[in-house]
Amino acid sequence: MATQRLAQRLHGIAPTIFSEMSALAVRTQSVNLGQGFPDVDGPPEVIARAVAALEGGQNQYAPGPGVPALRQAIARHQQRHYGIDLDPDGEVVVTTGATEGIAAALLGLVDPGDEIVVLEPYYDSYVAMIQMAGGVRRPVTLRAPDFRLDPDELRAAVTDRTRFVLLNSPHNPTGTVLTRAELQAVADLAVERDLVVITDEVYEHLTYDVEHVPISTLPGMAERTLTLSSAGKSYSFTGWKVGWATGPRELVQAVLAAKQWLTFTSGSPLQPAVAHALDDEPDYPARLAAELRERRDLLCAGLADVGLEVRVPEGTYFATTDVTALGWPDGMSFCLALPERAGVVAIPSQVFHDDAEAGRQLVRWAFCKQPEVIEEGLRRLAAAQLHA
């Protein structure tokens, strides 16, 4: 019976769109403006620290919660940037990227039948892990073209069975950064209905002319917020998969309880290197954000020039376009045809929606690439027949 129940939970979980489209990019030798990984590594000093750890014998299991140096550096990071005080010995746990943090949070906290309010469109691992945990997702749609949070839709999504809000800001895939007022609407509802907020903030430092506000800093939220982040996006080491969960001890310990049966621990020589990044390279994310802003503007202008309606993002690596004007029935058909027509890969945003109509015509593009790569992608698009 247990096997049957698990099979039912996993039924219908499709392969991630990122693997599918990146494989398509390799097969067709296309410019990959789909998957969000940078094509240049982060600070060389951080890499040197990892090499020193590898050569210095730090190659066995790290403690399950993470090496002390990294947990302490994470606590200092939260204090330095946001004034959040954490006990590194009980309110911080290191995860195998934020993806494991999401998985462990949902598996460790969600009981079968619990409802989780999720901002739609959503990163695809949210759907898979809610399903694996036996939870029920209650989407609240950020609608084109502005992708703002509607407080009335948020409130309407909460029922007596709702236990959690799974938040993501800066938001992938839309690039929306929730305003303080939008976050306050979430906070007011969470306090009123006694909800726990799980917040994915991996793009916390990659914002453009707007402020990132951790929801845990709002009144009444510190005791009910589990925050997830990582070094992958902020320091351009996405392949290292070093992330963390922070917050109240009981929430963090629930993450740890699940994590011990997922990876137990990982990346032992990488953890002290990330600690060095957080403590000794604190300005790198701001420099990266400045570079990304220029690449965002380059990509968005080029996409507009080829006839796409572009929403310029406030954060993240990603810009969203509407392909309606090109005559395609949906973003999926456009993206599947694009490698052969133009030698470019993008991601259809409809796979991130329950509301099929809301995402049908939307396509996500990544600008975390070198300018010459973006320029080559745009050159190919401009030379191609993009109309259906």
Side-chain angles (χ1 to χ4, degrees), residues 14-53:
T16 173
I17 190 68
F18 303 112
S19 295
E20 180 182 350
M21 299 306 289
S22 288
L24 184 59
V26 172
R27 190 164 65 249
T28 59
Q29 297 185 315
S30 293
V31 174
N32 191 348
L33 299 181
Q35 191 168 7
F37 58 86
D39 49 12
V40 174
D41 291 337
E45 296 83 359
V46 179
I47 297 173
R49 288 298 179 110
V51 172

Side-chain angles (χ1 to χ4, degrees), residues 345-362:
V345 161
I347 298 290
S349 295
Q350 67 197 89
V351 301
F352 307 132
H353 285 77
D354 282 349
D355 185 338
E357 287 306 313
R360 186 176 302 281
Q361 300 293 329
L362 303 180

Side-chain angles (χ1 to χ4, degrees), residues 27 29-30 48 53 56 129 166 169 231 236 262 291 312 314 342 349 371:
R27 190 164 65 249
Q29 297 185 315
S30 293
M129 294 316 307
L166 178 51
S169 181
S236 294
L262 295 170
E291 294 175 0
V312 179
E314 301 145 12
S349 295

